[in-house]
């Protein structure tokens, strides 16, 4: 009997295979959508963002799908540029937060005192108001791109660190770790050859799931005026500027950029959950 006939004869295996294919399809579609949203921002020329007073305050139409603002700038072009900028900030801050989480989780395996210190640091940052801490760090550094990246990176690592530390503590009790120590292997060698390969699935999924949080918080603090400079077409700046014109009926200035941001965040969340389901199909059943 061939492999395909065995799969067809076993409903349980067939169901798992169909679920796996659906998950893979969701991952591929999510990646393609994110790539399209991001790359399109790079392809937009600066002329699309230029002022055109003759077309100002235009509602959505075939010429301007997202309408135009009070300076006649095309809102579709500004939104796509803003999403590209948010993607870049989210990529950088999620990467930095993941590096911090990985470093602290590996450091906790050193000895009990350092582990207590890492645990205390995690509890300290989790107990503090998240957005307030982010605003204070960003404001202290002077705002702008550097302030946003630093503030988000320093406030989004605790949850992932707690997860990775728990995995490190579980692996630390395994017999092969003790054998490696008896053979004289250094802590660095054990971390790179035992802990790190075991943590890679959690790191990858955690990195992707950090993305939605970093993008939303970048937009939030930029909206409040503590983030990116007004010259940059960030989604937070677009939403902040649109607030003063909503009362005049120009609803499209906030609706389409906000909806686009929600869609991007939702796709990232779907992508992360799908990858987690692919790596660990029994995650939701435990």
């Amino acid at each position: 009997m061939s492999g395909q006939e065995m799969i067809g004869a076993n409903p349980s295996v067939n169901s798992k295979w169909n679920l796996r294919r659906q998950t893979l399809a969701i991952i591929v579609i999510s990646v393609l959508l994110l790539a399209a949203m991001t790359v399109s921002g790079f392809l937009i020329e600066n002329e699309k963002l230029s002022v055109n007073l003759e077309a100002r305050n235009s509602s959505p139409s075939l010429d301007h799908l997202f309408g135009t603002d009070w300076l006649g700038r095309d809102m579709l072009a500004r939104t796509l540029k803003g999403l590209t900028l948010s993607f870049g900030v989210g990529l950088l801050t999620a990467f930095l937060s993941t590096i911090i989480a990985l470093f602290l989780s590996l450091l906790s395996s050193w000895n009990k005192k350092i582990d207590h210190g890492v645990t205390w640091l995690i509890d300290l940052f989790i107990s503090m108001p998240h957005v307030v801490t982010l605003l204070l760090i960003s404001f202290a550094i002077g705002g702008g791109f550097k302030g946003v990246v630093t503030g988000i990176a320093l406030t989004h690592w605790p949850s992932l660190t707690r997860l990775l530390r728990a995995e490190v503590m579980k692996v630390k009790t395994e017999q092969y770790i003790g054998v490696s120590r008896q053979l004289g292997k250094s802590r660095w060698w054990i971390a790179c050859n035992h802990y790190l390969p075991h943590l890679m699935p959690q790191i990858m999924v955690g990195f992707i799931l950090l993305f939605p949080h970093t993008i939303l918080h970048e937009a939030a603090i930029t909206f409040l005026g503590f983030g990116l400079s007004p010259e940059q077409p960030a989604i937070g700046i677009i939403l902040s500027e649109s607030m003063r014109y909503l009362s005049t009926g120009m609803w499209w200035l906030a609706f389409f950029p906000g909806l686009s941001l929600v869609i991007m965040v939702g796709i990232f969340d779907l992508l992360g959950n799908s990858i987690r389901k692919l790596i660990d199909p029994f995650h939701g059943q435990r």
Side-chain angles (χ1 to χ4, degrees), residues 11-47:
S12 177
V13 174
N14 192 32
S15 177
K16 291 180 181 178
W17 176 249
N18 290 334
L19 182 61
R20 187 178 182 86
R21 285 194 301 179
Q22 291 176 5
T23 305
L24 286 172
I26 292 174
I27 292 174
V28 171
I29 294 173
S30 299
V31 170
L32 290 176
L33 288 174
L34 290 172
M37 296 174 72
T38 306
V39 173
S40 59
F42 287 108
L43 298 178
I44 293 175
E45 301 176 354
N46 292 329
E47 296 179 358

Side-chain angles (χ1 to χ4, degrees), residues 213-226:
H213 296 278
T214 58
I215 291 176
L216 286 176
H217 281 105
E218 175 270 319
I221 63 174
T222 301
F223 176 82
L224 295 174
F226 295 94

Side-chain angles (χ1 to χ4, degrees), residues 2-271:
S2 64
Q4 292 183 349
E5 291 176 348
M6 291 177 63
I7 291 176
N10 191 332
S12 177
V13 174
N14 192 32
S15 177
K16 291 180 181 178
W17 176 249
N18 290 334
L19 182 61
R20 187 178 182 86
R21 285 194 301 179
Q22 291 176 5
T23 305
L24 286 172
I26 292 174
I27 292 174
V28 171
I29 294 173
S30 299
V31 170
L32 290 176
L33 288 174
L34 290 172
M37 296 174 72
T38 306
V39 173
S40 59
F42 287 108
L43 298 178
I44 293 175
E45 301 176 354
N46 292 329
E47 296 179 358
K48 293 285 186 178
L49 301 173
S50 59
V51 175
N52 183 11
L53 296 178
E54 294 181 358
R56 63 180 181 176
N57 302 333
S58 298
S59 58
S61 63
L62 294 178
D63 294 329
H64 303 283
L65 295 179
F66 286 9
T68 62
D69 61 8
W70 59 97
L71 294 176
R73 295 172 295 187
D74 186 74
M75 288 303 298
L76 175 59
R78 295 195 74 200
T79 299
L80 291 176
K81 279 288 187 182
L83 291 176
T84 301
L85 182 61
S86 296
F87 181 88
V89 173
L91 181 67
L92 180 58
T93 52
F95 175 77
L96 293 176
S97 295
T98 304
I99 293 297
I100 295 173
L102 176 61
F103 173 76
L104 291 176
S105 61
L106 293 177
L107 192 65
S108 65
S109 67
W110 199 268
N111 56 50
K112 289 186 177 180
K113 289 185 178 180
I114 296 179
D115 180 46
H116 288 319
V118 171
T119 304
W120 176 83
L121 197 61
I122 293 172
D123 293 337
L124 175 65
F125 271 82
I126 289 180
S127 64
M128 292 189 297
H130 191 75
V131 177
V132 174
T133 308
L134 174 56
L135 288 173
L136 289 175
I137 295 175
S138 179
F139 180 76
I141 296 178
F145 182 82
K146 182 173 68 174
V148 170
V149 170
T150 305
I152 296 176
L154 292 179
T155 55
H156 282 73
W157 55 266
S159 297
L160 182 57
T161 305
R162 174 176 285 179
L163 173 64
L164 296 180
R165 176 194 165 275
E167 293 294 329
V168 168
M169 292 297 106
K170 184 170 65 175
V171 177
K172 189 177 180 180
T173 60
E174 296 292 337
Q175 186 175 2
Y176 60 85
I177 300 294
V179 172
S180 296
R181 289 172 180 166
Q182 291 176 2
L183 291 175
K185 300 297 184 181
S186 64
R187 288 188 175 93
W188 175 253
W189 189 93
I190 294 174
C192 293
N193 291 273
H194 292 318
Y195 293 143
L196 190 57
H198 180 81
L199 294 176
M200 284 308 298
Q202 289 83 358
I203 291 173
M204 183 171 61
V205 174
F207 169 76
I208 295 175
L209 291 178
L210 275 177
F211 240 101
H213 296 278
T214 58
I215 291 176
L216 286 176
H217 281 105
E218 175 270 319
I221 63 174
T222 301
F223 176 82
L224 295 174
F226 295 94
L228 303 175
S229 60
E231 292 79 16
Q232 297 171 303
I235 296 296
I237 293 173
I238 294 174
L239 294 176
S240 178
E241 292 175 345
S242 67
M243 290 298 103
R244 70 189 77 164
Y245 296 96
L246 290 180
S247 60
T248 63
M250 297 169 63
W251 55 270
W252 59 87
L253 296 182
F255 176 77
F256 289 114
L259 179 62
S260 301
L261 180 64
V262 171
I263 291 174
M264 174 176 272
V265 170
I267 293 174
F268 266 117
D269 190 57
L270 179 63
L271 177 62

